[in-house]
Amino acid sequence: MEIVNRPAPPTGLRRRLWRLPILLYRAGLGPLMGHRVMLLTHTGRVSGRRRQAVIEVVHHDEHGYVAASGFGVKADWYRNVMATPEVTIQVGGRVLRVTATPVETEAGAEIMARYAPRHPAAARRLCKIMGFTVDGGQDDYREVGRHIPFVRFTPRQPHDARS
C-alpha cells in the first residue's frame, strides 16, 4: 500500500455530483439504492442546521452499520457526527435513529480487509479516490484501513428520546 495523494473533500461541481444520490433519497427512491449506501442525516457542528450525506456501508451486522470516511477526518459529515453523534440513517427503505461512534484503528483495518474481497472493484475504486495504491492483497487493504476513520452507527433503543 502506498499513499499517493490524499485528496481534499470535493468542492464546486464535484461536490454537487457527489451529492446527487441525496436527491434520489429525497424523491423516495432510497430503496433503489440498495443496502450498500445510506443516507445520513446529521447536525452541522457550526450551523446547527440539518445536513445530509450519502455514504457507503462497508459493514453491517447485529450491532449496526459501519461507514468509512473516505476523505478522512476533514470530511464535513465525519466532523459533524463526531460533534453530535445522535443521527438518523436510511438504508434502502429503512430509517433508523442511531448513535455514531468511531471504530478503533485495528478494527477498521479488519473491516477493510474483509470488505475488499467481497467487493473488489468497489474497494479498488474507493482506495483510488482516497489516494491509495494497493496491490489487491488483504494486507494492503488492512493497511489502508489503518489510515482512514471508520464510524459505527448503532441503533438507539426505542425508549431513547434523543433525536
Side-chain angles (χ1 to χ4, degrees), residues 41-55:
T41 302
H42 53 97
T43 303
R45 69 194 173 284
V46 176
S47 69
R49 294 175 55 196
R50 188 184 107 164
R51 302 289 184 201
Q52 292 184 311
V54 173
I55 53 181

Side-chain angles (χ1 to χ4, degrees), residues 9-23 54:
T11 58
L13 178 60
R14 237 179 102 215
R15 184 174 193 267
R16 289 183 183 186
L17 291 173
W18 275 87
R19 296 182 58 78
L20 279 177
I22 294 172
L23 298 176
V54 173

Side-chain angles (χ1 to χ4, degrees), residues 34-154:
H35 296 286
R36 289 191 45 214
V37 178
M38 74 169 82
L39 175 68
L40 168 66
T41 302
H42 53 97
T43 303
R45 69 194 173 284
V46 176
S47 69
R49 294 175 55 196
R50 188 184 107 164
R51 302 289 184 201
Q52 292 184 311
V54 173
I55 53 181
E56 183 181 3
V57 174
V58 295
H59 180 72
H60 172 245
D61 60 22
E62 66 276 3
H63 303 293
Y65 295 84
V66 176
S69 179
F71 294 107
V73 296
K74 293 182 180 181
D76 284 331
W77 74 262
Y78 180 84
R79 293 166 53 186
N80 289 342
V81 303
M82 291 299 104
T84 306
E86 291 78 24
V87 299
T88 302
I89 61 171
Q90 180 178 346
V91 182
R94 188 173 182 205
V95 177
L96 297 167
R97 293 173 46 209
V98 297
T99 300
T101 54
V103 173
E104 292 184 18
T105 301
E106 285 307 308
E110 291 308 312
I111 289 168
M112 189 67 184
R114 287 192 310 268
Y115 170 83
R118 289 192 325 265
H119 308 288
R124 281 191 305 275
R125 192 169 47 253
L126 182 63
C127 287
K128 184 177 180 179
I129 290 168
M130 294 184 301
F132 299 102
T133 58
V134 293
D135 65 11
Q138 276 195 319
D139 287 339
D140 253 15
Y141 285 113
R142 190 172 285 112
E143 189 60 28
V144 167
R146 289 185 181 105
H147 290 274
I148 56 175
F150 287 83
V151 178
R152 178 174 295 281
F153 297 92
T154 306

